[in-house]
């Protein structure tokens, strides 16, 4: 996914208990927007040939239906759409719609990962996860589909093979650019096991001539450790880590 520029003051947790998903029409681009988007995308691909213009979902709207209910309207497009963030006159730009997984260690620490140089957000620390893709065939995009996608992102990026049924819906975040992220919590595992899974996955990717999407992982106890993670951070990371550690009584400096 292409990293998007900020269009809001900061990320926040929305404290959602019930989530409703509704498909909407894809954004309609003016000829000028489409031309500019294609020019930006072609330039990005020349710099990083690993960029792939595959199908992806974007967030068309996120509306409160009650104190803890949220309706997310999503639309189908391709990754090329995110190039519009670099087009100053674009009015059709829509932010991402993604899933992310909180993977705890059995000592309460939380796993975070750093995006590799081959990705669109090199060096950025974030939770395992990624942009949602359109459902296959006539399958609905519902919570079960989001559970499956989150489990797939977790194993692809960390090697941790959790069943979708073992993931628990945790909350929803709104990123600073307006993107909506659905958060899941995975079962706790020993820290040694988490590192072994990641190292085995990374070795297998390297053997196939591919770079792991996360080139490094870390286990953190609290927000006090975030400055130790050198490089940019996803803006949603700090409020998530704070809420997680406060809820689990692990918000301590070490």
């Amino acid at each position: 996914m292409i990293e998007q520029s900020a269009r809001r003051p900061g990320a926040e947790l929305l404290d959602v208990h019930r989530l409703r998903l509704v498909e909407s029409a894809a954004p309609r681009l003016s000829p000028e927007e489409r031309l500019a988007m294609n020019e930006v995308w072609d330039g990005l691909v020349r710099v990083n040939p690993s960029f792939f213009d595959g199908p992806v979902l974007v967030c068309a709207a996120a509306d409160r239906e009650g104190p803890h209910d949220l309706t997310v309207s999503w639309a189908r497009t391709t990754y090329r759409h995110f190039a519009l963030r670099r087009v100053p006159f674009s009015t059709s730009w829509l932010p991402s719609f993604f899933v992310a997984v909180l993977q705890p260690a059995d000592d309460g620490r939380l796993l975070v990962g750093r995006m590799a140089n081959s990705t669109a957000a090199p060096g950025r620390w974030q939770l395992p996860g990624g942009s949602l893709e359109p459902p296959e065939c006539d399958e609905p995009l519902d919570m079960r589909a989001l559970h499956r996608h989150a489990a797939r992102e977790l194993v692809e990026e960390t090697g941790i093979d959790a069943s979708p049924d073992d993931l628990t819906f945790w909350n929803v975040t709104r990123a600073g650019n307006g993107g909506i992220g659905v958060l899941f919590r995975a079962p706790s595992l020993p820290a040694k096991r988490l590192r072994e899974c990641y190292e085995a996955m990374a070795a297998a990717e390297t053997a196939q001539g591919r770079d792991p999407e996360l080139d490094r992982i870390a286990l953190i106890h609290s927000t006090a450790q975030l400055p130790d993670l050198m490089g940019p951070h996803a803006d949603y990371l700090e409020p998530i880590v704070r809420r997680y550690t406060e809820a689990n009584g692990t918000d301590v400096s070490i």
Side-chain angles (χ1 to χ4, degrees):
M1 168 184 144
I2 296 177
E3 188 178 9
Q4 300 159 37
S5 59
R7 296 198 175 184
R8 291 175 180 267
E12 59 181 331
L13 288 173
L14 300 182
D15 292 326
V16 172
H17 297 173
R18 287 176 294 275
L19 183 65
R20 190 166 72 96
L21 306 173
V22 179
E23 184 171 6
S24 63
R28 302 184 67 174
L29 308 184
S30 69
E32 294 78 14
E33 283 179 311
R34 188 169 299 279
L35 177 62
M37 176 187 70
N38 290 339
E39 289 177 347
V40 171
W41 177 260
D42 291 344
L44 292 170
V45 172
R46 284 193 295 271
V47 174
N48 189 342
S50 66
F51 283 177
F52 173 64
D53 191 25
V56 70
L57 304 184
V58 290
C59 177
D63 300 309
R64 289 282 194 184
E65 302 294 340
H68 300 292
D69 297 358
L70 185 72
T71 296
V72 175
S73 299
W74 56 271
R76 303 170 190 256
T77 185
T78 69
Y79 280 95
R80 182 184 301 260
H81 174 86
F82 293 126
L84 284 172
R85 84 199 193 284
R86 297 175 180 243
V87 178
F89 62 83
S90 174
T91 59
S92 303
W93 183 90
L94 292 177
S96 60
F97 185 26
F98 63 96
V99 292
V101 181
L102 288 79
Q103 174 61 70
D106 55 6
D107 61 5
R109 289 181 293 171
L110 189 65
L111 185 149
V112 294
R114 187 178 69 180
M115 298 292 283
N117 287 334
S118 59
T119 68
R124 185 177 69 187
W125 287 90
Q126 60 185 56
L127 297 176
S131 294
L132 284 160
E133 298 174 359
E136 298 180 359
C137 302
D138 294 326
E139 293 182 359
L141 184 71
D142 54 17
M143 286 302 295
R144 288 186 61 83
L146 267 58
H147 275 80
R148 291 194 298 270
H149 193 91
R152 184 167 68 248
E153 291 286 347
L154 183 64
V155 71
E156 288 177 354
E157 295 187 357
T158 69
I160 300 165
D161 191 6
S163 167
D165 292 336
D166 289 337
L167 300 182
T168 303
F169 172 63
W170 192 76
N171 209 328
V172 174
T173 184
R174 191 199 307 270
N177 57 25
I180 292 294
V182 183
L183 309 173
F184 295 91
R185 176 170 173 163
S188 299
L189 291 172
K192 180 180 178 182
R193 177 61 178 159
L194 296 179
R195 296 191 182 279
E196 289 174 346
C197 288
Y198 171 77
E199 290 167 2
M201 178 280 300
E205 288 290 288
T206 301
Q208 294 294 322
R210 298 187 295 264
D211 292 330
E213 190 167 351
L214 300 179
D215 67 5
R216 182 180 172 187
I217 63 169
L219 297 171
I220 60 175
H221 269 295
S222 72
T223 56
Q225 292 182 283
L226 290 177
D228 297 332
L229 303 176
M230 301 303 296
H233 301 166
D235 64 355
Y236 64 75
L237 188 58
E238 191 272 342
I240 289 174
V241 172
R242 180 188 299 114
R243 177 70 62 85
Y244 166 80
T245 54
E246 288 175 351
N248 288 274
T250 58
D251 195 4
V252 296
S253 299
I254 57 174

